[in-house]
Amino acid sequence: MNSILSKLSLALVGSAILFSGHSYAETIVLPENIQTSKQITFCTDLGYPPWEMLDPETQKPVGFDIDLAAAVAKALGVTSTHKNITFDGLVPALQAGQCDAIISGFYDKPDRRQVVDFANYATTGTALIIKADSSLEVGSLAELSGRKIAVGIGTAGEGLMQETNEALKAEGKPVINIVSLQTSSEAFQQLAANLVEGYLGSSDQAAYYNKLNPGSMKLAGAAVNQLPTGIATLHRNKELHEAFEAALAEIRANGEYDRILKLWSFEDLALR
């Protein structure tokens, strides 16, 4: 009987919230520093279009993650700002208190979960991007043995190629010549100039680059992995993690999430 009453009580509370005109996000208590500043500072590598980049005219951050961060902050009654940090420095910067959270096309990986919590909002894969006139086809990274491939420093792709090289060494085969770069813009420049044979980035980047330079790039095969992407916060900052989860639920419910996905042609990356 008590169990039934408890369930009924929860249902009534839920109905009261639903019809009260207030969002769930409004019930969240933000960390004191954010309450005071009315602003969430995100660590972001602003060299990873179309996820995040600097507008060449205004030098202001733009991109899918930038719009998503703004929507999440708005749902929590504050604003968002971004601190430009190189990808391999994102976690150290967060640990050093330079920002409140990371949003930067940041894959939710087991090794990262040892340090941070994730509030996930998209799913994407790592794939080999090549020039449109290339005949290279890849079913696995091991097939890149002996080839020169660009990748972002500190990214999941770099880790995958390093693991592949260990396996290739054990088999006595030539390793991949890994060219680790700070930004995807550098990777595309090297690829366009034939300085590398491919760029291991996220599968959505080829489509974005082709919008700027039609018919110039393609994928050499299917994504080699598929991972969720999320907003990362330190384990000790549970309040903010819960706030992000609530805000993401809010923007999914009110349609803002779908609007941002459509704006950046990211509908296939949706995480419900």
Side-chain angles (χ1 to χ4, degrees), residues 165-225:
N165 273 352
E166 291 302 315
L168 289 170
K169 285 179 187 176
E171 295 173 10
K173 296 179 180 179
V175 298
I176 305 166
N177 183 356
I178 303 172
V179 181
S180 297
L181 302 168
Q182 284 289 356
T183 69
S184 61
S185 297
E186 293 175 86
F188 278 115
Q189 287 170 6
Q190 294 217 9
L191 183 54
N194 295 315
L195 297 176
V196 295
E197 294 180 73
Y199 162 49
L200 195 63
S202 63
S203 52
D204 52 87
Q205 285 186 294
Y208 175 76
Y209 193 86
N210 279 337
K211 282 185 177 180
L212 304 178
N213 304 275
S216 58
M217 300 291 165
K218 65 180 181 181
L219 299 182
V224 296
N225 68 359

Side-chain angles (χ1 to χ4, degrees), residues 54 60 88 123 136 154 191 264:
L54 289 171
K60 292 183 178 180
D88 57 331
T123 181
L136 182 61
L191 183 54
W264 292 99

